[in-house]
Amino acid sequence: MVLFWFWLNLFQAKPKYHKIMESVISTDQRIINSLLLNASFIDILGLMHGKMGISIFFFHLARQTGNQIYEDYAGELIDEIYEEITANTPVDFENGLAGIGWGIEYLVQNGFIEADTDEVLEEFDNRIFKELIYNTPQYIGLLNGLLGIGFYFLKRIKNKAFNDEKITTLTNKQTLIHLIDELYRKTQNITEIISEPLSSSNNNQTFEQLSNPRTTNQQIGAQRPNDHRDRSNGTVNETFDLTWNYPVLLWFLAELYEQNIFNFKVEKIIQRLTEPLSNESNMPKLHSNRLLLALTLTKLQQTATKKLQTKNHKPRTRNHEQKTTNNIKPSNQVELSNFPNIEKRISNLLYGINRKTINSELPTHNTTLRYGTSGVAWIYLQLHHQTGDNHFKEEMEYWINSLFVPGNSKDFSGMNFENLNAFGLLEGLGGILFFSEISENLDNKYTI
């Protein structure tokens, strides 16, 4: 997470953030208390807007604070999710089984809970596989399309407790190969995929709307710019969206490439998707979207570089080693023949990006992960993790600090904390608080 996948990265406190956190702790505690009181009454089970995401938040909060109450509550939410799943529960990543199952694997792989996921997710595997085969999603996207299913099965095979000889792992890899074939077919015409997400003029969700009890979660997330590009209902503009299909698809392909799953065809799709970037007119207009796309290309570059270095350093014969040792280049100079000009394209995307322009592109007072400043901060965090560049760390700190400016981003005064639809991770207050909590530690990288 992608992402997305997303927000899950850090935790030992850094002293420079203590003052910031102290200035908002009372507000944060109000939200935490409200979640403790109300999360069980939320009727959405899923990862992005419902109980699964809130449970992950409380597991992280319990680990950070050492408060057993938070861990117990997170476990209770997991129990409720399993009790409330029915035959009608959707399979998508946003609200359904793929996202819930991804969340369970995430918790297990990061040591929050203990479980044999081949056992507890067996029915998930079967239902999601059948949906892919017999009712293949029309859309590519993460939330309601092929990528959501793909990220679920990718997470399943990354569980180190299972080896490649296990039948479940082999089956899940075969499912991913089938999904790669589907993506290959659906990316024949990439014009729509590389186009920036669109937003109507009334899609700028403010904190006032998020906190209004009459605003439903469906209304908050109703605009799906990745899937619908209808210009008939008033003004439509490019918008920043962390779930934009183009970079999320590239991130997914980079993850597949790292796992050596059908790399021949994965390389073909990546080349197809990145070739348009050789033309300046195909570059994103918004600085925020350029930044997001640069992150995914950096992820791809780092993945390909590691694979090439591993290949170059494999044990060979003595004569072969003598011939090749002098040809090995530092990681930042490795020629990636399969993805030519990728470094140049990253530089072109990052050139001229500045805070003022990004801020002008975001909806006013929106700090959500999907559309707002938390999302921008997350991108810089990932760029710092990928490259180690302190510039990205400084930019991340700037955007984190902007979350706490009274009257600007994280000013919750006068908000109605009884609105059960305002606490989701992707587009609600839960995600904002979650990111502000986990951004205290730049060293702890959770497995996403």
Side-chain angles (χ1 to χ4, degrees):
M1 74 269 225
V2 248
L3 83 261
F4 255 24
W5 27 108
F6 22 30
W7 4 278
L8 310 168
N9 279 282
L10 345 143
F11 262 97
Q12 293 170 351
K14 296 288 182 180
K16 70 183 299 178
Y17 296 119
H18 289 174
K19 199 169 186 179
I20 297 172
M21 295 306 294
E22 288 171 2
S23 69
V24 294
I25 189 65
S26 60
T27 298
D28 287 354
Q29 194 60 53
R30 287 178 63 199
I31 301 174
I32 292 169
N33 291 343
S34 188
L35 281 170
L36 286 169
L37 291 171
N38 296 312
S40 288
F41 298 103
I42 296 174
D43 58 3
I44 299 174
L45 304 181
L47 176 65
M48 295 301 187
H49 308 294
K51 291 181 178 179
M52 188 68 243
I54 295 172
S55 175
I56 291 175
F57 164 67
F58 275 113
F59 273 117
H60 273 281
L61 191 62
R63 179 173 289 182
Q64 181 188 16
T65 63
N67 192 326
Q68 187 64 38
I69 291 176
Y70 297 147
E71 182 175 344
D72 292 342
Y73 188 69
E76 289 176 11
L77 289 176
I78 296 294
D79 292 339
E80 290 178 10
I81 290 169
Y82 269 85
E83 290 172 1
E84 295 172 21
I85 289 175
T86 69
N88 295 322
T89 301
V91 302
D92 62 69
F93 196 81
E94 182 175 19
N95 295 312
L97 297 180
I100 295 170
W102 185 97
I104 297 297
E105 273 287 7
Y106 171 83
L107 291 173
V108 171
Q109 292 178 29
N110 287 285
F112 290 102
I113 60 177
E114 294 183 3
D116 180 344
T117 52
D118 272 2
E119 180 180 339
V120 299
L121 295 176
E122 180 180 8
E123 185 59 28
F124 284 56
D125 290 349
N126 293 336
R127 283 189 56 185
I128 297 170
F129 173 76
K130 288 178 181 177
E131 182 77 8
L132 175 64
I133 300 300
Y134 300 114
N135 191 23
T136 306
Q138 297 181 14
Y139 301 124
I140 288 177
L142 169 70
L143 300 181
N144 302 290
L146 287 171
L147 287 176
I149 292 175
F151 272 109
Y152 167 76
F153 283 108
L154 181 61
K155 191 65 176 171
R156 291 282 286 117
I157 68 166
K158 290 169 77 173
N159 192 322
K160 295 179 180 179
F162 309 131
N163 58 49
D164 288 344
E165 297 178 0
K166 194 165 186 179
I167 186 65
T168 307
T169 303
L170 292 172
T171 302
N172 289 339
K173 284 189 174 183
Q174 283 300 124
T175 303
L176 284 169
I177 290 172
H178 175 79
L179 191 139
I180 291 168
D181 281 332
E182 285 292 329
L183 288 175
Y184 186 80
R185 285 190 285 271
K186 289 183 180 294
T187 55
Q188 297 288 339
N189 183 352
I190 65 171
T191 302
E192 196 77 4
I193 297 172
I194 68 173
S195 298
E196 290 181 81
L198 300 178
S199 172
S200 61
S201 57
N202 62 359
N203 190 43
N204 293 346
Q205 293 292 335
T206 65
F207 278 130
E208 288 74 18
Q209 290 169 301
L210 285 171
S211 61
N212 186 336
R214 289 186 296 275
T215 303
T216 67
N217 199 69
Q218 287 73 20
Q219 288 171 324
I220 291 172
Q223 179 71 16
R224 299 291 178 225
N226 287 339
D227 295 338
H228 304 289
R229 306 182 64 84
D230 183 2
R231 297 177 180 267
S232 62
N233 296 323
T235 304
V236 178
N237 299 302
E238 289 83 5
T239 188
F240 169 67
D241 186 344
L242 200 62
T243 68
W244 178 19
N245 286 349
Y246 189 20
V248 173
L249 176 55
L250 284 171
W251 187 285
F252 177 66
L253 293 169
E255 292 272 2
L256 290 173
Y257 194 68
E258 187 174 24
Q259 297 294 321
N260 293 310
I261 299 176
F262 209 179
N263 276 1
F264 173 74
K265 186 158 283 188
V266 168
E267 286 179 5
K268 282 191 170 185
I269 302 174
I270 291 173
Q271 290 164 358
R272 177 188 292 168
L273 290 170
T274 55
E275 177 59 31
L277 294 176
S278 60
N279 188 333
E280 179 67 27
S281 64
N282 290 323
M283 291 284 191
K285 294 180 181 179
L286 300 189
H287 283 211
S288 49
N289 286 333
R290 292 169 78 101
L291 184 69
L292 178 57
L293 188 54
L295 167 62
T296 58
L297 291 183
T298 301
K299 164 73 172 177
L300 177 61
Q301 180 191 43
Q302 295 292 322
T303 300
T305 298
K306 289 177 184 177
K307 287 178 67 66
L308 187 56
Q309 289 177 322
T310 301
K311 180 180 178 181
N312 286 338
H313 284 83
K314 282 183 177 180
R316 304 289 180 88
T317 64
R318 182 178 295 274
N319 290 337
H320 184 83
E321 286 178 357
Q322 291 175 346
K323 292 178 182 179
T324 60
T325 298
N326 294 331
N327 294 326
I328 297 175
K329 300 180 180 180
S331 61
N332 61 343
Q333 298 179 16
V334 174
E335 295 177 4
L336 304 178
S337 58
N338 292 332
F339 311 117
N341 301 317
I342 189 170
E343 187 172 351
K344 180 180 179 181
R345 287 167 184 171
I346 293 170
S347 298
N348 289 342
L349 286 165
L350 292 174
Y351 180 76
I353 287 179
N354 65 79
R355 301 167 180 174
K356 184 176 180 181
T357 302
I358 291 178
N359 201 48
S360 70
E361 295 167 355
L362 304 179
T364 305
H365 301 326
N366 191 311
T367 54
T368 64
L369 281 167
R370 183 173 185 180
Y371 297 120
T373 51
S374 289
V376 175
W378 181 86
I379 295 171
Y380 277 118
L381 167 65
Q382 296 301 319
L383 281 167
H384 174 64
H385 279 169
Q386 293 288 329
T387 67
D389 191 329
N390 283 331
H391 165 71
F392 296 133
K393 177 183 176 182
E394 292 169 0
E395 289 300 309
M396 180 206 69
E397 291 170 352
Y398 167 82
W399 288 100
I400 289 174
N401 290 344
S402 73
L403 295 174
F404 306 103
V405 176
N408 179 22
S409 298
K410 199 177 176 184
D411 180 11
F412 297 113
S413 58
M415 294 191 63
N416 185 335
F417 292 99
E418 295 181 359
N419 175 18
L420 303 184
N421 298 310
F423 294 104
L425 288 178
L426 185 61
E427 299 173 34
L429 301 177
I432 301 166
L433 176 61
F434 188 42
F435 184 79
S436 72
E437 294 287 344
I438 67 173
S439 59
E440 294 180 43
N441 176 3
L442 294 179
D443 302 320
N444 197 346
K445 301 179 184 180
Y446 287 91
T447 302
I448 60 173

